[in-house]
Amino acid sequence: MMTTTDTSTNTARFGTPAQPSLNLGVIGNCSISALVDSQGDIVWSCLPRFDGDPVFNALLQPGEAGSRFAVELEDLVSTRQSYEPNTAVLRTILTDRSGNSIEITDFAPRFHSRSRLFRPVTLVRKVRPLHGAPRIRVRLKLAFDWGKTEPIVTRGSNHVRYVGTQMTLRLNTDAPVSYVLEEQPFLLSKTQHFLLGADESLSTGIADTALQFERETIAYWRKWSQGLSIPLEWQDAVIRSAITLKLSLYEETGAIVAAMTTSIPESPHSGRNWDYRYCWLRDAFFVVRALNSLSETGTMEDYLRWLSNVVIEATTGHIQPLYGIGLESQLPESTMDHFAGYREMGPVRVGNQAAEHFQHDVYGNIVLGAAQAFHDRRLLHPAGAAEFRYLERIGEHAVRVYGTPDAGMWELRTRARVHTSSALMSWAACDRLAKIAEHLGFAERVHYWSAHAGRMRDEILERSWNPTRKAFAESFGGRELDASVLLMSEVGLVDASDPRFVSTVDAMEASLCDGPFMRRYEAADDFGKPETSFNICTFWRIDALARIGRTEQAREIFEAMLAARNPLGLLSEDTHSETREMWGNFPQTYSMVGVINAAIALSKPWRSVI
């Protein structure tokens, strides 16, 4: 997918930066990431890991106060942007009024070296002239400590050091260092390379290093993509979604972040600004399952390393809905009041109070996330009896909290109910534990967990059903509708052909949908009623429609969701049903999961063409 932007209204020789938007590309290597805007500016990157200090923060701090890494073309009139096919390598082409043009290549190195995956804390930029005599200006402004501290800058013959109290970064470059430091425009007569990372010297020349990193990184991603088992239709969308999900893995520990950003509002001026740079057990399960469906099981094995530590450390029984990517349990929430926020829509939050919540669906999400490891004989480290014993502890917690009030999966801060979705996941935990026990030959445990699952299933179907609404409600004895109950069919509690489930889908389409898009729930929450649709809910709708046989309607909605992606094929958390603009943190793993699941559910089979 390629995007083209016309910037011909810029009258200055070096125009102003692009206005903050989510028309961004993501690059990364499972250690770090960066977001690149349509003009090739790096506007967001947290170092030395996903939840670290945003050394480039212009996404949330627009104007001169923000920090960015820009390569500006004089008299810019248009931009084009695309990924190198089947990779996480991004290319941006800038063209000026006279037809002179340059190409910026951005990536983070990732490839096999010395019997390990090489994924350094390094961003690589290659800038090469494509046509004519383009004149560029390099503007590299770093900030530390959430924009509060400017680095001390020192220079060498081919490097610049940015020294902070907690971190020092080095830019190795074969561009004139004086031009970089002074932001002096110059003619780009040959390819220039910029490697920003740890304060270390390179073992080989700058150009040679950048060329090797690019070649090896492209080869890695192409090989990785080649191993995916993809559907016949919508292949490019699925591959881009899969790569984006992979980039959300913090491979050192195995955690999977929900998104790369914090505090992109869920809707304009809503105050619904949250920090998503952590690992939600719920979101991670959906990521793992989506990648498993493409035969990419390595992410699951990495995640289970992290998840096993969460389970073992939960000595009190309570498990949080999210943790830091290094297993941090304390994620105190604060605001960075000196940040203007995305499009000056603060607040900018760091940390997430939801870590303190009681969300009872978490236990089911743990069991569901681990279940395949007991059945899949391809895995390097399949789970067995020992892992089952640990997982049974989680099942006991699911039994204990079943039918008790919680904050629910939407993390309501001022209201607790017996949420149907939480009860559903307790059932799923017991149901999957029974299946695992059967696989392991533990007959007594099969009976034990099946009995719990059967009891829960009967009660969920009875107590969540609202005869007036003719739908399963969001809570036991409730009447309001919530898209999360669509998971009843997806996780197997009810058959999609069950008249009650079909009726529920009909009721939700009448009350929660704005055209193809679906909101989360009817009821007002702590901030009022949601204004935007929640992308994963729309994908749950697509899945439900496909399951009950309304395939053409599901395909139409799926095409609408594909059209709602940004020009590089990425989605945030929310879509405004009227403007079709993206809102919420970005790129949102939940949303990218939905693309994969919908494509698999709706695609024509390979056997239809081969």
Side-chain angles (χ1 to χ4, degrees), residues 266 272 410 412 414-415 520-521 523-530:
E266 293 180 11
R272 299 173 186 264
W410 304 127
L412 302 175
T414 60
R415 187 179 74 207
R520 283 176 284 184
Y521 39 75
D525 59 22
D526 311 329
F527 294 82
K529 288 191 174 182

Side-chain angles (χ1 to χ4, degrees), residues 584-606:
N585 282 310
F586 177 91
Q588 177 75 9
T589 54
Y590 246 161
S591 301
M592 306 312 293
V593 162
V595 173
I596 293 172
N597 291 346
I600 291 173
L602 297 172
S603 175
K604 298 173 184 176
W606 279 98

Side-chain angles (χ1 to χ4, degrees), residues 2-216:
M2 177 174 288
T3 171
T4 301
T5 304
D6 185 356
T7 63
S8 57
T9 56
N10 290 344
T11 58
R13 298 183 69 183
F14 287 94
T16 57
Q19 291 299 307
S21 81
L22 298 183
N23 285 339
L24 303 168
V26 60
I27 59 172
N29 62 3
C30 301
S31 287
I32 59 168
S33 67
L35 300 181
V36 184
D37 75 9
S38 61
Q39 294 183 190
D41 292 7
I42 297 178
V43 295
W44 183 258
S45 183
C46 297
L47 300 179
R49 63 186 206 178
F50 298 146
D51 59 353
D53 189 5
V55 298
F56 297 119
N57 60 37
L59 185 64
L60 299 184
Q61 188 73 307
E64 291 301 317
S67 58
R68 67 176 67 230
F69 190 169
V71 178
E72 301 173 348
L73 178 66
E74 185 178 32
D75 295 328
L76 175 70
V77 294
S78 68
T79 73
R80 287 189 295 156
Q81 201 167 43
S82 62
Y83 281 103
E84 182 72 22
N86 299 352
T87 77
V89 176
L90 183 65
R91 304 199 193 276
T92 307
I93 296 176
L94 308 181
T95 303
D96 70 15
R97 296 183 191 278
S98 302
N100 303 307
S101 60
I102 66 171
E103 180 187 68
I104 306 169
T105 298
D106 285 302
F107 65 96
R110 178 176 173 83
F111 52 88
H112 292 280
S113 176
R114 299 177 182 176
S115 301
R116 63 182 175 90
L117 268 170
F118 179 66
R119 39 177 168 74
V121 180
T122 300
L123 299 173
V124 179
R125 316 202 78 184
K126 182 181 76 174
V127 184
R128 70 183 183 102
L130 290 182
H131 184 75
R135 190 165 179 255
I136 68 169
R137 179 172 66 178
V138 178
R139 303 186 70 187
L140 199 173
K141 179 182 179 182
L142 280 165
F144 292 136
D145 190 23
W146 282 88
K148 297 176 184 177
T149 305
E150 292 187 5
I152 297 172
V153 179
T154 66
R155 61 167 292 171
S157 57
N158 287 102
H159 75 265
V160 182
R161 298 174 69 243
Y162 300 87
V163 182
T165 57
Q166 303 296 321
M167 178 167 45
T168 297
L169 296 174
R170 176 190 292 243
L171 175 71
N172 290 290
T173 181
D174 49 13
V177 171
S178 295
Y179 292 168
V180 174
L181 289 176
E182 297 166 16
E183 299 183 358
Q184 171 63 44
F186 64 97
L187 287 171
L188 183 67
S189 58
K190 62 179 182 179
T191 301
Q192 307 284 6
H193 305 86
F194 304 84
L195 292 86
L196 180 67
D199 186 22
E200 300 170 354
S201 298
L202 300 177
S203 58
T204 58
I206 293 169
D208 291 341
T209 300
L211 178 62
Q212 180 204 356
F213 283 3
E214 181 181 0
R215 183 177 61 247
E216 296 278 6

